[in-house]
Amino acid sequence: MTRKPTKAILPSAPPAGAKGPAPARGEEAPASNRATRAAERRAAIVEAAMDEFIARGFAATRLDDIAKRAGVAKGTIYLHFKDKESMFEELVRIVIVPVVARLTTLPPPAGSVRDLIEAFAGNFLKEVIGTRRGDLVRLIVAEGPRFPSVADFYYREVVSRGIAAMRALIELGIARGEIREKNLAHYPQILVAPAMIAVIWQSLFARHAPLDAREMLRVHLDLIFGERRTT
């Protein structure tokens, strides 16, 4: 599986010294420069944490390994994060939450509800499937039962928002007569099931049976909305 580079997902800190001239020798560095360096160290720690979590899993990842990969002392980590869980939460906020926020703030549908759902799901597949975001989602699925606080955080920040957005779209589809099965509003998880299957399938079985996630989504939506009429 080809992975997108970390730098395409994690935002980079501004370059050191970007604000104002460098201080004269013996002069204390301006607060803005100190803040910039602190932001750079924090970004390096988060990036290293992502690499370690994906490579080793949440349980096996050690702060010592993260510090070594980030090129900082272990004590520096505690200046930014109280523990491994808070570091993982920060990673989710940076890497996954913005994607969910973008997807759940799509404009009101000018066309059909199905069109908007297809746009939502298509963007999810583009942003997650085959990327390091997908690796993080799989990690949560695999280790969440052992670390309930991590799973709870992910539910609050990611899952609940996505489910609420899907429920709103389903209710709109029912009101417009596009969706006949009214009980679907009680189970919006059904609507996003193909996306989650694709995330898990990609890591476990893609080498045996490659999955066309977009085509699977189309078939899934045909079952809900009926087949599209072609002219």
Side-chain angles (χ1 to χ4, degrees):
M1 180 178 64
T2 302
R3 302 192 188 281
K4 293 185 178 180
T6 304
K7 64 182 180 180
I9 293 179
L10 291 173
S12 58
K19 295 182 179 180
R25 181 175 299 178
E27 181 182 348
E28 185 180 356
S32 60
N33 286 353
R34 292 197 299 273
T36 297
R37 288 196 295 271
E40 290 172 343
R41 286 193 294 270
R42 185 182 181 92
I45 291 169
V46 172
E47 184 172 338
M50 186 171 190
D51 291 337
E52 290 294 321
F53 284 134
I54 290 174
R56 302 174 185 269
F58 184 82
T61 293
R62 303 183 308 160
L63 293 182
D64 296 281
D65 296 322
I66 294 174
K68 182 177 180 180
R69 186 184 286 266
V72 301
K74 182 178 178 180
T76 302
I77 291 179
Y78 290 107
L79 297 177
H80 299 274
F81 305 99
K82 65 178 182 179
D83 53 27
K84 189 167 62 173
E85 289 187 6
S86 64
M87 189 183 304
F88 188 83
E89 290 175 0
E90 177 75 356
L91 189 55
V92 171
R93 288 191 188 97
I94 292 174
V95 174
I96 299 179
V97 169
V99 174
V100 176
R102 290 197 300 272
L103 295 181
T104 56
T105 54
L106 292 173
S112 68
V113 171
R114 174 171 179 159
D115 289 338
L116 193 59
I117 292 174
E118 285 184 338
F120 181 104
N123 286 332
F124 178 88
L125 295 177
K126 177 182 177 181
E127 297 275 5
V128 177
I129 303 299
T131 73
R132 294 163 72 79
R133 292 188 183 97
D135 292 332
L136 287 180
V137 173
R138 286 188 288 271
L139 188 154
I140 292 168
V141 171
E143 300 198 47
R146 297 173 58 193
F147 301 95
S149 62
V150 171
D152 291 347
F153 171 82
Y154 189 79
Y155 179 83
R156 291 193 307 271
E157 297 294 324
V158 178
V159 176
S160 64
R161 298 181 184 184
I163 290 297
M166 289 298 98
R167 180 176 285 111
L169 288 175
I170 292 170
E171 291 173 346
L172 179 60
I174 292 172
R176 289 183 172 185
E178 295 182 45
I179 298 176
R180 294 183 179 181
E181 180 51 71
K182 296 182 179 180
N183 286 329
L184 184 61
H186 299 302
Y187 304 100
Q189 296 89 343
I190 293 175
L191 201 59
V192 297
M196 290 306 301
I197 291 173
V199 168
I200 297 171
W201 190 277
Q202 181 69 20
S203 63
L204 295 178
F205 310 120
R207 66 184 183 278
H208 302 296
L211 180 66
D212 187 336
R214 291 184 179 275
E215 181 62 15
M216 180 175 66
L217 173 66
R218 184 194 64 76
V219 173
H220 181 67
L221 294 180
D222 281 347
L223 294 174
I224 294 174
F225 291 92
E227 293 187 19
R228 283 190 181 278
R229 296 179 181 178
T230 57
T231 57

